Amino acid sequence: MFAVENLSLKPEGAKRQKIEPEIDGSSSSSSSSSCGHWYVLHGVCTGCESTVEKRQGRAFDYLCDGLQLSHEAVALTKHHITRFSCLNEKKLHLVLDLDHTLIHTVRVSKLSESDKYLLEETTRRQDLWKIKLQGDDLIEYLLKLRPFVRGFLEEANEMFTMHAYTMGTRVYAKAILEVLDPKQIYFGERLITRDESPYMKTLDLVLADERGVVIVDDNPDVWIDHKINLVEISGYYYFRMNNKQHSKPCKKIDESESDGGLANVLKLLKEVHFGFFRVDDELESKDVRLLLQEIEFNRLNHYLQ
């Protein structure tokens, strides 16, 4: 794991744990026994068109409703997508957390008295938004964009195919992306939520080889199996929670656009991208994880000198 602000070498986590149980079974037709059923859509194999009751594989509903890939199909798809991204577009893959990485949100009902004046500023400011989620009850949030987030996404998009990954619900996350990426320029349909990954975050759900994926998240604990891909960013907190000690409005102090968390992470991402494509070695010999370790080692040495 690479920490942008606090340099620390941390061991990689425990052995890989799947977030979903493997599904075993066979197709309903003996004529399809020779088919690997690599790609299944709504229970029907796209290859042999037989009904597949149960499969050993993984669901990718976030990309296409009802889509399920066998483990062989996942590996092959990851490989081909990575080759295409690297060779044709000169892009790596970037997995971005939302809360406390790109934004900070708070329920309006839990907003402190000293911050309630911000509700009126949403009509005048481009970094403050009110969002409403309709469920059993109407929930209203106040959303603050992290300084430099729009510039960060624009520049990162030139170097990476980006994926949003959050432990929030899909309804909540889609409302956030309506603000961050209303035209789906940056993330497209690449949004993974607690609906697909309820207990931890995993690159098993990201269709790209791990050697070409960088993660940016403020919480390393949710990436048990992928800390070596992780760049830890400082958590972004803007709002005060409801607290009687803070009852008077006070001027907010925000982090720097040019020297804040996202600006510093972008510098690192540029370094990783440059290092990966610097020489024309065989693609299979390149690995962002080795680059992150090398950069961290060099920075630590510089710090200690």
Side-chain angles (χ1 to χ4, degrees), residues 184-283:
Q184 294 188 315
I185 295 172
Y186 304 128
F187 298 105
E189 298 295 332
R190 296 179 299 276
L191 169 62
I192 306 171
T193 69
R194 72 164 64 157
D195 296 359
E196 297 81 31
S197 180
Y199 305 115
M200 66 181 73
K201 294 182 178 181
T202 174
L203 291 182
D204 293 345
L205 286 169
V206 176
L207 287 178
D209 281 342
E210 292 178 17
R211 59 190 173 84
V213 179
V214 179
I215 303 163
V216 176
D217 201 318
D218 70 296
N219 183 7
D221 295 336
V222 296
W223 292 101
I224 295 176
D225 302 316
H226 307 287
K227 292 190 190 302
I228 198 169
N229 294 78
L230 176 64
V231 174
E232 184 181 354
I233 189 172
S234 57
Y236 179 61
Y237 295 85
Y238 185 77
F239 303 111
R240 288 195 179 99
M241 301 300 285
N242 198 350
N243 190 323
K244 293 181 179 179
Q245 291 180 343
H246 302 287
S247 58
K248 295 182 180 180
C250 57
K251 186 176 181 180
K252 306 292 288 186
I253 299 176
D254 213 348
E255 70 179 33
S256 168
E257 286 257 352
S258 59
D259 196 31
L262 289 176
N264 290 327
V265 165
L266 183 63
K267 294 173 187 175
L268 173 63
L269 294 178
K270 288 180 177 179
E271 194 172 348
V272 171
H273 185 271
F274 175 78
F276 192 91
F277 293 105
R278 178 177 50 192
V279 293
D280 293 328
D281 291 342
E282 287 293 324
L283 181 60

Side-chain angles (χ1 to χ4, degrees), residues 89-124:
E89 301 178 320
K90 288 290 188 283
K91 280 188 174 186
L92 297 169
H93 287 257
L94 179 63
V95 177
L96 291 170
D97 174 50
L98 295 180
D99 290 291
H100 307 301
T101 295
L102 302 182
I103 58 152
H104 185 204
T105 62
V106 62
R107 288 193 183 193
V108 170
S109 62
K110 295 185 177 181
L111 196 63
S112 70
E113 288 296 325
S114 62
D115 279 353
K116 285 187 176 178
Y117 76 97
L118 294 170
L119 293 169
E120 304 302 321
E121 295 197 357
T122 56
T123 58
R124 300 189 296 271

